[in-house]
Structures are given as structure tokens and as C-alpha cells.
Amino acid sequence: MSPALERFFVTAARLCAVAVVAIAPLVGLVVFAAAVASLVRHVEFSWDASAGLIAATLALGLVGATLGTALGVGAALYAVEIATPANRQLIKALVGALHAVPAVGYGVAAAGLLLVTPLLPNPAVTFSIAATVVTVMIASVVFVQMRRSLSALPDQLREAATAAGADAVATALRAMLPALQRSIAGIWWASFALALGEATALQMIFGAASAKSALSNGVAISGTLASMLLQVGASARGVDEALRFAPAALLLFAMTIASVFLGRRAVGHVPWP
Amino acid sequence: MAIDALSDKPARMFRPLPAVVFAACAWLLCGSVIVIVGWLLANGLPKVVSALGPRGPESAIGPLFATAYITVLALPPAAAVGVFAAMGASDVRIFGAAAGSMRSALSLVGSVPTVIVAYAALLAAAAVGWHPSLTGAAFVFAIVNMPLMTGLALRALTTRAAKLREVATALGAPPMYIVISVLLPRARMRLRSAYIIVATQIIGGAATIAILAGANVPASRGALPIHAWPLAVHIWTRGSSADVYGVTAASALLLAVLIWVLQGIAQLRAAPESASQEDL
């Protein structure tokens, strides 16, 4: 390879890497500018009305991240350390299929529970369905990451545990789990960030609950910050309509970045799929 | 590394409760996919013919064309920029002291929710008076998927490559020569698998196109030039309606099957290389 070609490729690689890295600050800058513009232009925005969205976002984030991490970690420990080879392959295939289900697939299935069954979409039912969906979505991602983390652990750890008389369950519980403690904490923070940003499936669930509540004069949860952002963004006809939700978008951006930074501060960098 | 199993307490031979809990977690997740697919089959199977019909608002054929259109437009830029960015981040000599920060920043970019990136793009487009159609939205979708492509390509280029890189560097090879002549050919199968994974993200993603092209705006011209929304957006716009639920479920099933097939191909492509590397 000639030096000129080498220089060209190095420059192209640098530019591309910088361009990809610049996406986050650019997005932050645009959303921040929009939030300021919405204040300057006195675009209608009610923090009181958004309090419910913020509460639902945080609650679903906490429930989804905690249960999803627990479920994913437990499933990965069973699949990698305890299950028979045939069961391991079956679990890997089924959870792999679950991981590949698109968000609209989850959304259609969950919204159907409200649309085609007699279930009343009161806030508790809607929240339970939304929390279950977020938990399962996150658990499938955590499973993939945990399997990777377990495979990366040295075999000597298993050998030492076996030599000490531990069976597969004791090895998983007393050797593997403690070795991955920091990694699991990092996965929780990343899961929390992921749950905060989940929009498509949740918007479908809250949309279905709202549609059915309108028919039965019931009360419905208005949604989360991300689901409302999707709803507002997809129906915005101009700058003013788009700006209407800018402060909430800035808040969601800040919450997501903060959770990633807090996770890194607590446990260091954890690779995340 | 502390190993509790090697402490002075003797390890118990069998722990039924943790074993049951771990097994329950695994089978609960496995059961979830069966429940979701079973539900979509039960509700969507009777309407599959309507969904696969060539005409009518319920047809998924137009949306499939729109899906192919945005995938063809969005995948090449995402793949090209992602692979080059990964090449830049993979060798410490390209960014020097900033290489570690670069990798860390790349993983941070991936954690920004898609919906916020799309919303920021919508605000920027609205500010300059641009109303994106499917074509414009596809290019923004490419930008949204660049961090994922970069992450996958970086993993493909760096997995078990440290010794090869050390040897090539010791022989005096410049960084790009190592990446292009040594690492890229070795990671070819994994990269192809990464392209397919990114394609599945483009096929399954609804939020970016819905926000940018205005899927819920009355008389929106965002679906031009195909005159149909991509399948994921088509499903999303109808997902909250009880009247067309069966057809929506059938379309969701179709989308899921499409993604499973592509993911299966991606895994099969990556499998031989992974196996050969594990043998080393």
C-alpha cells in the first residue's frame, strides 16, 4: 500500500470515527437549542402535565431494568453453567428468537391484550403490561450480554470450583456470580438507560389503552417521555408543534446520558451490545 | 479473584432452590417468545391472506417494498461509515493517546435513544424547512444505525486479533495496512454478519421513519416515492386500532419471520469463523 493511500485511509477512518462520535453531542445541542427556543417562543409546555410522564418513565425504567437484569442473569447462568447441552441449545435458540422480535411485534402482542380481550385498561393493568414488555425486552438483551461475559471468564475458575467439590449450581452461585458482580451492576445501569428510551412498543400499548379508555370513559396512563416523544414527533406538522415537547426531550436525553455516566462511575466501562 | 467456592466453608453439593430459580428464569424467557408468537399466530393467521394480498390498505406488499427501499438506501452509508470508524478506533496508532477515549465515546453514542436522535433530526429538518420523504428519512436512519455498525465492526476487527496485530506491527506494517490486509480479510464473515444485523435493525425499526416522515400527519407526503410506509411503521400506525387488529398481527408475524430468517443467516455466517477461532 502506497504512503498516499495509507494516509487517505487513515484520514477517512479518523473522519468517520469523529463523525460517529459527534452524533451524541450534536443531538444534545439540537435538543438543548430547541428547548431554549421553545421557552423563548413561549411554546405551550406544561411541566405539571409532564410529571406523570416523568414518573411513568422512571417507574418503568426501574422495574424493567431490575426485573429484566435479574431474569436475564438467571437465565444466562442456567443456560451456560447448569443446563444440559441439549437444553442449552434450545434456550439459546428461543431467547435468540425473542431477542430478534421487533419492538412493533412486542407492541402488537401487548396492545392486543387490551384491544381484543375484555381486560379494562386502568392504569394498574396498563402499567403491568408495559412493565412486563420492557422486562422481557431487556431480559433478552441482558441474556446475550451475560452469556458473552460468562464465556469470557477463565475456565480455571470453573476448574477450581469443581476441584473444591462444587457442583454446577454451586459453581454458578458461588464462583461465577461473584466474579461478574461489577459487570452485572454495569448491565443494570445500561438496562436502565435502554428502558428509558424504549418508545415504539410502549407507545402502542399506551395508545391502545387510551383508545379503549376513550370508549369506556376510563382513565389511562398518558405514556412515558419516549413514547410521547414518538407520538408528538410522528404527528408534528411544523416547527412549533415539534418544539412543544423539546424540554421533555432534553430531560430524557439528560436522564439517559446521566444513567450511562453513573454506571461508568460506579463500575467502570461495561461492554454493551 | 475471590472464589467463594474455595473458602474454608465446604461447598454444598446441590442447591435445589437456586437451581429452580435459574431454571425458572430461563424457561420464563423461552415461554415469552412462545406466548408472543402463539398470540400473533392465533390472531394473525386467519388474516394472513389479506395481509399478503396485492391491493388494499391492509396489504403488506407495498410496505414490504418500502422496507426494501429504505434498507437499500440506509445500509450502505451506515456500513461504510461504521466500518471506517471501527478501523479508526481499532488501532491505537490512528488516534494516539485519544484512542481509549474514542472507544469509550463510541459506546456512549450507542446508548442515546433512537427516538431522541430522530426527534433532533426532525427539529433540524423543520428549522431549515425540509420535509423528509422516505428517501431523506432513510439517510437519517443510516446515521442512527452508524454507532451500532461501528460497535459490531469494531468487535469483528478486534476479537482475538491482538497477537496478529502485534506480529504485524513488529514487522513494521503501518496501521491501515494491518487493518486492510490482515484484519479485514480475517473478519470478513463477521462483518457480513454485522451488515445483516444492522439490516434487521433497519427493517424492524419504526420510530425514526415515523418521526421524520410524519407517519401520523394527515395527508403526509412522507411515504413518497413508494406511496407506502415501511412494514414496521405500517404496523405501528395501526397497532392501537382494534378494527384491523388481525391484519396488523399478521403483518407483525411477517416482519418477525423476515427478521428471524435474516438473523439466522447472520448467525450461520458468523458461526464457522467463531468455531475456527475457538479451535485456536
Side-chain angles (χ1 to χ4, degrees), chain A residues 10 14, chain B residues 88-103 175:
Chain A
V10 167
R14 278 184 185 148
Chain B
S90 68
D91 196 303
V92 75
R93 286 178 290 171
I94 292 176
F95 274 101
S101 314
M102 205 60 175
R103 283 195 193 189

Side-chain angles (χ1 to χ4, degrees), chain A residues 14 97 108 148 167 234 242 264, chain B residues 13 104 107 119 155 245 260:
Chain A
R14 278 184 185 148
V108 168
R148 202 171 284 152
D167 66 342
R264 287 188 181 183
Chain B
M13 286 307 291
S104 180
S107 68
Y119 181 68
R155 191 176 293 157
Y245 186 74
W260 283 329

Side-chain angles (χ1 to χ4, degrees), chain B residues 41-87:
Chain B
L41 274 173
N43 287 283
L45 212 52
K47 296 284 184 182
V48 162
V49 177
S50 304
L52 289 176
R55 287 175 194 281
E58 295 181 345
S59 171
I61 301 298
L64 276 173
F65 276 114
T67 304
Y69 181 74
I70 61 153
T71 308
V72 166
L73 286 181
L75 187 58
V81 174
V83 170
F84 265 98
M87 283 157 70

